[in-house]
Amino acid sequence: MSIDWDELTARAIEAMEQAYCPYSRFPVGAAGLTADGRIVSGSNVENASYGCGLCAECSMVSDLVRTGGGRLVAVACVDSSRTPVAPCGRCRQVIYEHGGDDCVVLMPAGLMPMSKVLPGAFGPDDLDRSTLPAPPTRG
Ligand code: THU
């Protein structure tokens, strides 16, 4: 699948311009391409209770799930300089859940697969190794 990085970066910039970041003054935008060709995006949304702030990548994944889910194949994140910013550690985990090892991220140093962005990641498959019975289902 060919990836239009210019388009993805443009969508990340658009999202960055909608950020709510009165506390850090550090707007971030994230855009992701899905396996079925959609582009999803998000921006950081901060809070007076600082620890409650949401990163742009988390907002992007919310957009992904809300608009039909699927796999992320490419992700670009930018800051106010309109250039790539590295996803924080928590966001790498959030991207990994929906993109796995093969999702390609536009890092400040260039394109990098998630297998390098988050080496040795813990993921959904690891949960299968539990030796305890499955939790009861609700509803
Ligand atoms: N931020 C993101 O949105 N994504 C990242 O991966 C790095 C940090 C946000 C969180 C906070 O609103 C601001 O950038 C400064 O840390």
Side-chain angles (χ1 to χ4, degrees):
M1 175 179 205
S2 83
I3 296 164
D4 185 341
W5 289 103
D6 289 341
E7 168 71 4
L8 207 55
T9 300
R11 297 288 290 272
I13 291 169
E14 267 178 31
M16 179 273 294
E17 287 170 344
Q18 302 298 324
Y20 176 74
C21 55
Y23 307 108
S24 71
R25 307 292 299 159
F26 190 84
V28 179
L33 176 66
T34 65
D36 62 2
R38 286 145 48 223
I39 291 183
V40 293
S41 63
S43 45
N44 53 334
V45 180
E46 296 182 348
N47 193 282
S49 177
Y50 294 170
C52 294
L54 305 175
C55 281
E57 296 87 333
C58 293
S59 300
M60 175 192 73
V61 164
S62 175
D63 192 27
L64 170 74
V65 172
R66 183 183 56 79
T67 60
R71 299 296 283 172
L72 290 170
V73 297
V75 170
C77 308
V78 299
D79 60 25
S80 61
S81 70
R82 300 176 162 232
T83 60
V85 62
C88 76
R90 183 173 188 273
C91 290
R92 292 178 195 209
Q93 183 71 30
V94 169
I95 293 168
Y96 184 81
E97 176 84 11
H98 299 276
D101 279 332
D102 296 334
C103 177
V104 181
V105 180
L106 182 56
M107 296 288 280
L111 298 179
M112 205 178 278
M114 280 302 294
S115 57
K116 287 205 170 143
V117 173
L118 189 63
F122 176 88
D125 293 346
D126 290 296
L127 294 177
D128 295 339
R129 294 186 303 111
S130 173
T131 58
L132 298 187
T137 51
R138 288 177 184 271

